[in-house]
Amino acid sequence: MTVALITGANKGIGFETARQLTEAGYDVYLGARDVERGEKAAAEIGAHFVQLDVTDDVSVIAALATIEEAEGHLDVLVNNAGLLVADPLDGPTALRVFDVNAVGIVRVTEAALPLLRRSENPRVVNVSSSMGSFWANTTPGRVEQGLILPLYAASKAAASMLTVQYAKAYADIRFNAVEPGPTATEMTAGFGIDDIAGPPAESAKIVVRLATLDLDVPTGTLQDKDGELAW
């Protein structure tokens, strides 16, 4: 059976991604920091729960050890865990946002690489954002141009570049980043996108599309709901 791990998956896009992959017949490990919420979410969709805090090396290593013991390999990793904080704009807040949105990708991916390399078709999807796109932030008429979210935008730019660099370093693993589109979640509430935001289930479809890639599909791309997005 195809094995998948999704981080930050007890709600929002992560939860819907886990649900859709479970419905597609994947053996899904729902990763979440909060044990009670994670177990409840996993039980709701018939997935496995694994406690996983992307800012904690011990937690990450333990989560992947659990999957290794149970499955022996990992086919799909979705780095979905994210943090959106508008203020204060200071050093401690910057470190916290980057720790989740960028460093967290490195922690989980590095821990998962040995298991991914045992898969016949290993795939990694990093949930990024067009807020990290220089093009989107400087193009008149784009919603990104009107949003001022320095830490989130910069950390998502880092997430996208990490994807490209990983894709170059590991040609045998499909690394892709995705812009899932404006989504109505707890994280985005109050940031001025409510009138254009869609449901998490729709955004998750885009993540799932990249998580279920065939071997002959390009890697290292950055995609939105309409296909390619200029970054």
Side-chain angles (χ1 to χ4, degrees):
M1 186 174 286
T2 306
V3 181
L5 168 64
I6 300 98
T7 69
N10 65 290
K11 58 185 178 181
I13 296 173
F15 175 75
E16 287 296 333
T17 298
R19 181 181 63 79
Q20 291 177 27
L21 287 176
T22 299
E23 291 177 351
Y26 282 51
D27 195 10
V28 173
Y29 283 78
L30 186 152
R33 182 177 56 181
D34 187 284
V35 173
E36 183 177 354
R37 292 180 180 178
E39 288 180 340
K40 181 179 178 180
E44 181 178 338
I45 61 174
H48 306 285
F49 168 68
V50 62
Q51 197 280 331
L52 199 163
D53 179 349
V54 301
T55 69
D56 183 343
D57 290 284
V58 174
S59 170
V60 171
I61 291 171
L64 271 299
T66 296
I67 296 173
E68 180 176 25
E69 182 177 356
E71 310 291 347
H73 72 284
L74 181 65
D75 300 291
V76 177
L77 169 61
V78 179
N79 284 309
N80 167 76
L83 181 62
L84 173 55
V85 178
D87 56 58
L89 187 58
D90 56 23
T93 306
L95 289 172
R96 185 160 64 97
V97 172
F98 271 81
D99 202 15
V100 175
N101 294 352
V103 182
I105 290 176
V106 177
R107 280 195 188 92
V108 179
T109 302
E110 289 298 314
L113 279 173
L115 296 184
L116 287 165
R117 303 199 82 167
R118 297 175 194 170
S119 169
E120 295 181 359
N121 181 19
R123 289 143 281 166
V124 178
V125 181
N126 295 328
V127 179
S128 189
S129 170
S130 57
M131 279 302 299
S133 164
F134 288 85
W135 169 80
N137 275 273
T138 56
T139 298
R142 294 281 308 191
V143 65
E144 297 87 352
Q145 191 184 42
L147 294 174
I148 302 176
L149 299 168
L151 299 180
Y152 182 75
S155 64
K156 287 301 185 177
S160 297
M161 183 52 70
L162 281 169
T163 306
V164 173
Q165 294 298 316
Y166 267 116
K168 292 195 294 182
Y170 296 97
D172 55 335
I173 300 175
R174 317 209 91 59
F175 281 90
N176 287 285
V178 61
E179 152 58 54
T183 311
T185 65
E186 288 183 22
M187 187 177 76
T188 61
F191 284 97
I193 65 168
D194 293 351
D195 58 333
I196 61 171
E202 288 302 312
S203 295
K205 288 180 181 178
I206 304 158
V207 180
V208 169
R209 185 177 70 198
L210 288 179
T212 55
L213 290 175
D214 292 327
L215 285 168
D216 59 348
V217 176
T219 186
T221 60
L222 300 120
Q223 298 188 3
D224 66 358
K225 60 185 176 63
D226 299 315
E228 296 298 325
L229 178 67
W231 294 71

